[in-house]
Amino acid sequence: MRASHELARVSVRFDEMNLVSCAGLLPAAVLAERGGAGAGLFDQVRASSTIGCWLRAFRWSNVRELDAVSRELRARLGAAGAGPADPTGPLTVDLDSIIVQVYGRGKQGAEFGYTKVRGYHPQLATLAETGQVVFSRMRGGSAGAARKAKSFLTETVSRLRHAGATGELTVRADSAFCSRAMITTAGRLGARFSITARQDKRIRAAIEAIPEGSWRPIPGTPPTTGATSTPTSPS
């Protein structure tokens, strides 16, 4: 017996109070169908070794082409509903890097970084409202956390705007991304930013010089002092 492969003929009916609307693979199948020419691209099942050989044949130009495809796919998925509930509202994107450990000594780009672990050190941009990774960049294991963060932030904001995010954007990052280049780039792109600053002598002196009356509570935090407050204007 051959099942129907046309999603238009599939319907879902609920007769149990404990069931939810996320029914099996149907939502994912509809999303894949609306996202693009999936059937033409993924027409066969390929072994992981075959995929590995294919990826290793990529040149830098192929990587950029793949970036362009993923950029357009992100926009189409957003238009199909697989994105923030209100793309025109305020959105927050978190920038960070992670360590991906590998064990083979012959893997290209796998090196020891500050964690003393052999692996890769990719950067990720995650949308706080949905948990989706909106952009990622592969890097060698010895790359610093904020290496090329300026271009990474620029591409991230560009992708979000291309996908229909027209509202206010806030960029969040830890102290590894604290630099004049990052802050200047965020301002140039019209994005707000919340970036942790390293507590060196100059930073501590600047904080201590802020008058007590210039501090105000951060919304949503208990009414305490110090770490949960922010000055009303930068110094």
Side-chain angles (χ1 to χ4, degrees):
M1 184 178 76
R2 181 179 176 82
S4 172
H5 290 274
E6 296 182 18
L7 291 175
R9 298 183 181 182
V10 179
S11 63
V12 180
R13 181 171 61 88
F14 300 95
D15 56 6
E16 169 58 49
M17 293 297 295
N18 293 325
L19 292 179
V20 296
S21 60
C22 300
L25 294 177
L26 180 60
V30 173
L31 185 61
E33 186 179 69
R34 295 179 180 177
L41 292 174
F42 307 107
D43 57 337
Q44 301 179 38
V45 177
R46 293 176 172 83
S48 57
S49 58
T50 305
I51 296 175
C53 293
W54 178 64
L55 292 174
R56 282 190 290 272
F58 273 30
R59 298 179 182 273
W60 175 244
S61 59
N62 301 128
V63 174
R64 295 303 296 163
E65 290 171 346
L66 189 60
D67 273 344
V69 171
S70 65
R71 173 190 175 95
E72 185 60 31
L73 180 60
R74 165 65 54 187
R76 294 190 182 188
L77 292 178
D86 181 14
T88 65
L91 298 175
T92 300
V93 60
D94 293 306
L95 305 185
D96 207 348
S97 62
I98 61 172
I99 303 297
V100 180
Q101 185 175 10
V102 300
Y103 299 94
R105 297 185 178 182
K107 292 184 179 294
Q108 183 180 7
E111 300 170 327
F112 290 98
Y114 70 94
T115 61
K116 311 302 180 183
V117 172
R118 184 198 304 275
Y120 301 112
H121 196 183
Q123 288 173 326
L124 301 175
T126 308
L127 197 61
E129 285 73 14
T130 63
Q132 295 171 313
V133 176
V134 295
F135 185 45
S136 62
R137 176 179 288 171
M138 188 62 165
R139 305 180 309 155
S142 61
R147 180 183 175 185
K148 296 186 177 180
K150 177 181 176 180
S151 62
F152 185 72
L153 173 59
T154 301
E155 178 68 16
T156 297
V157 173
S158 176
R159 282 171 171 253
L160 288 171
R161 295 305 189 196
H162 181 68
T166 59
E168 185 178 70
L169 292 180
T170 300
V171 177
R172 298 190 302 196
D174 61 22
S175 59
F177 291 83
C178 184
S179 68
R180 182 184 297 273
M182 277 287 292
I183 294 173
T184 302
T185 301
R188 177 177 57 82
L189 297 173
R192 302 176 64 191
F193 57 87
S194 176
I195 302 176
T196 303
R198 297 180 181 89
Q199 287 288 334
D200 56 25
K201 292 182 179 179
R202 293 180 61 187
I203 294 296
R204 284 195 293 269
I207 293 175
E208 292 171 357
I210 299 174
E212 190 66 28
S214 297
W215 293 86
R216 58 183 173 80
I218 296 175
T221 58
T224 58
T225 59
T228 58
S229 298
T230 184
T232 54
S233 61
S235 61

